[in-house]
Amino acid sequence: MSFTMQHKWTILCERIIVDETSQLLSLIDVIEDINIPALPCDDKNITVVPIRWVLVNFWARTDETIPEYAEIKIRLVSPIETVVAERELKIDLTEKVNLRHFFRSGELPVQGEGTYRFIIEINNDGVWEIVSETPYRVNVMPVTETQPSPSNNV
């Protein structure tokens, strides 16, 4: 079975609001950079940093008249190409023509400073195919006398 489901977009943000009446989606504090205090993290060890985030995906049927279903994989890849987190999910478009998927967390695995990528793959007849890469940068801030808590810098 070949999947043709379309990945339309992915955005990383701090939080979302979905209006109950209109179902309109608001993406709040889109994340491009994350500043974290100097922690015991380096490119060999993974440190978990308490930061709230939501990875928002939008999926649609290729042909609106044909129901679709797919397995996807979301991988978080560090600047040195280490997979620091991974999750497999199912996207079900058998009843709906399109779908928003929200992947939420209150912590972020960090393996040093640099550009990280959320890579989204779809299982196409047993072969995982990349459909999206969403980058963001982690900046490790120098130690100061009053160390701030981790923050999303927009």
Side-chain angles (χ1 to χ4, degrees):
M1 179 180 204
S2 179
F3 295 105
T4 56
M5 181 182 297
Q6 295 181 356
H7 170 270
K8 295 293 188 175
W9 50 260
T10 295
I11 296 178
L12 179 63
C13 58
E14 186 174 341
R15 60 190 177 97
I16 60 170
I17 298 171
V18 179
D19 183 83
E20 287 184 32
T21 306
S22 67
Q23 293 300 300
L24 290 175
L25 172 67
S26 295
L27 304 169
I28 311 300
D29 297 333
V30 173
I31 299 172
E32 297 166 338
D33 288 275
I34 297 175
N35 297 324
I36 63 170
L39 296 172
C41 64
D42 55 40
D43 62 2
K44 293 185 173 96
N45 299 304
I46 297 171
T47 301
V48 176
V49 178
I51 293 178
R52 179 175 65 174
W53 56 270
V54 184
L55 189 68
V56 183
N57 296 254
F58 185 69
W59 298 86
R61 292 180 184 173
T62 302
D63 179 336
E64 290 186 4
T65 63
I66 301 173
E68 294 182 285
Y69 177 87
E71 293 177 339
I72 67 163
K73 187 186 303 183
I74 300 174
R75 292 184 297 133
L76 176 56
V77 180
S78 76
I80 62 166
E81 299 300 315
T82 301
V83 175
V84 295
E86 182 174 314
R87 175 167 287 171
E88 290 188 26
L89 309 161
K90 296 178 181 2
I91 302 295
D92 187 350
L93 292 177
T94 56
E95 301 292 323
K96 297 180 179 185
V97 174
N98 55 48
L99 175 86
R100 296 180 195 133
H101 178 266
F102 308 118
F103 180 46
R104 295 178 170 97
S105 184
E107 55 189 27
L108 192 65
V110 175
Q111 191 178 33
E113 190 170 55
T115 300
Y116 288 71
R117 295 172 293 135
F118 278 102
I119 298 175
I120 299 177
E121 298 173 272
I122 191 167
N123 188 341
N124 190 356
D125 287 332
V127 177
W128 289 100
E129 296 177 1
I130 295 174
V131 294
S132 172
E133 292 192 27
T134 304
Y136 67 93
R137 178 155 179 82
V138 170
N139 303 303
V140 178
M141 306 308 289
V143 176
T144 61
E145 286 188 33
T146 56
Q147 191 68 47
S149 61
S151 68
N152 300 344
N153 184 17
V154 183

